Amino acid sequence: QVTLKESGPVLVKPTETLTLTCTVSGFSFNNNRVGVSWIRQPPGKALEWLAHIYSFDEESYTTSLKSRLTISKDTSKSQVVLIMTNMDPVDTATYFCARITEGTSSHAFDIWGQGTMVTVSS
Amino acid sequence: DFQMTQSPSSLSAFVGDRVTITCRASQGFGNSLAWYQQKPGKVPKVLIYAASTLQSGVPSRFSGSGSGTDFTLTISSLQPEDVATYYCQKYDIGPLTFGGGTKVEIK
């Protein structure tokens, strides 16, 4: 069974750096055309795509937050990490990671983690 | 900046009604378009991928169409369990932008 699980701090202070980890199980990044995105959702608001890392390790970021985001992958640990700098209360949201199989057999983001709620407050 | 404009932002319809949601891209990109359903407090679930392919297990009353810049999600006969917010998303090459969402309610 393929699962993704997000982990990280529940509470961060303004200006701090947030580090979130997505741990995958049930599949390996090795020899699989699989990408992982980070997506967030402020309370009561819409989904916002943040960043993506492709199977070949290329990265893509949403333009509005590009200067604050870094996504990386540790294949040996089956983890994808998102770093967001200079946190602000408007960054309070549930953060999801989600998996996509790349190529013509893609079913879009068919596996999601359960999400982790991050509150930014002093 | 690439944008996905989804409309309407909300709708209310009777059980059994046909419901249509549209998504318009600021630039054409083929058919790598997905529709997701998110029920309150739940994780989004993919309904449609490749613009018109139904994900396994999704009821056949859901259908998708379109390519290029204009896409549509249709619920042929709205059911009470379809109350949710629906999102479109471009998923081939970044940015992998979501539409703003459509909240569907029952009258």
Side-chain angles (χ1 to χ4, degrees), chain A residues 9-60:
Chain A
V10 174
L11 179 66
V12 297
K13 291 181 168 55
T15 76
E16 288 187 340
T17 294
L18 172 69
T19 299
L20 294 173
T21 301
C22 176
T23 302
V24 309
S25 62
F27 73 93
S28 171
F29 290 122
N30 288 318
N31 302 315
N32 280 305
R33 290 193 62 191
V34 169
V36 173
S37 268
W38 283 95
I39 298 136
R40 72 178 179 181
Q41 186 170 40
K45 295 190 176 181
L47 299 171
E48 179 183 19
W49 173 77
L50 299 176
H52 185 79
I53 189 159
Y54 293 87
S55 62
F56 44 91
D57 292 338
E58 184 168 322
E59 304 153 31
S60 182

Side-chain angles (χ1 to χ4, degrees), chain A residues 55-112:
Chain A
S55 62
F56 44 91
D57 292 338
E58 184 168 322
E59 304 153 31
S60 182
Y61 298 97
T62 187
T63 304
S64 62
L65 295 170
K66 187 173 183 177
S67 64
R68 297 174 53 205
L69 296 174
T70 303
I71 191 170
S72 62
K73 182 171 59 179
D74 186 330
T75 299
S76 66
K77 293 182 178 179
S78 294
Q79 292 179 335
V80 174
V81 174
L82 181 75
I83 297 171
M84 180 180 288
T85 61
N86 194 24
M87 293 293 285
D88 183 272
V90 300
D91 297 315
T92 294
T94 297
Y95 287 75
F96 298 97
C97 60
R99 182 204 79 160
I100 184 169
T101 299
E102 297 164 354
T104 56
S105 62
S106 178
H107 289 205
F109 288 93
D110 57 351
I111 307 289
W112 292 61

Side-chain angles (χ1 to χ4, degrees), chain B residues 25-40:
Chain B
S26 57
Q27 301 167 39
F29 61 89
N31 74 337
S32 293
L33 188 284
W35 290 96
Y36 301 87
Q37 176 192 64
Q38 187 181 30
K39 296 185 177 181

Side-chain angles (χ1 to χ4, degrees), chain B residues 2 5-6 10-11 21 23 30 32 36 52-54 58-59 61 66-67 72 81 83-84 96:
Chain B
F2 182 85
T5 303
Q6 197 173 329
S10 66
L11 67 88
I21 300 167
C23 196
S32 293
Y36 301 87
S52 60
T53 303
L54 201 65
V58 173
R61 62 181 179 273
S67 67
T72 300
E81 59 266 32
V83 169
L96 308 183

Side-chain angles (χ1 to χ4, degrees), chain B residues 34-50:
Chain B
W35 290 96
Y36 301 87
Q37 176 192 64
Q38 187 181 30
K39 296 185 177 181
K42 300 296 186 182
V43 175
K45 164 189 162 183
V46 62
L47 300 176
I48 303 278
Y49 61 92

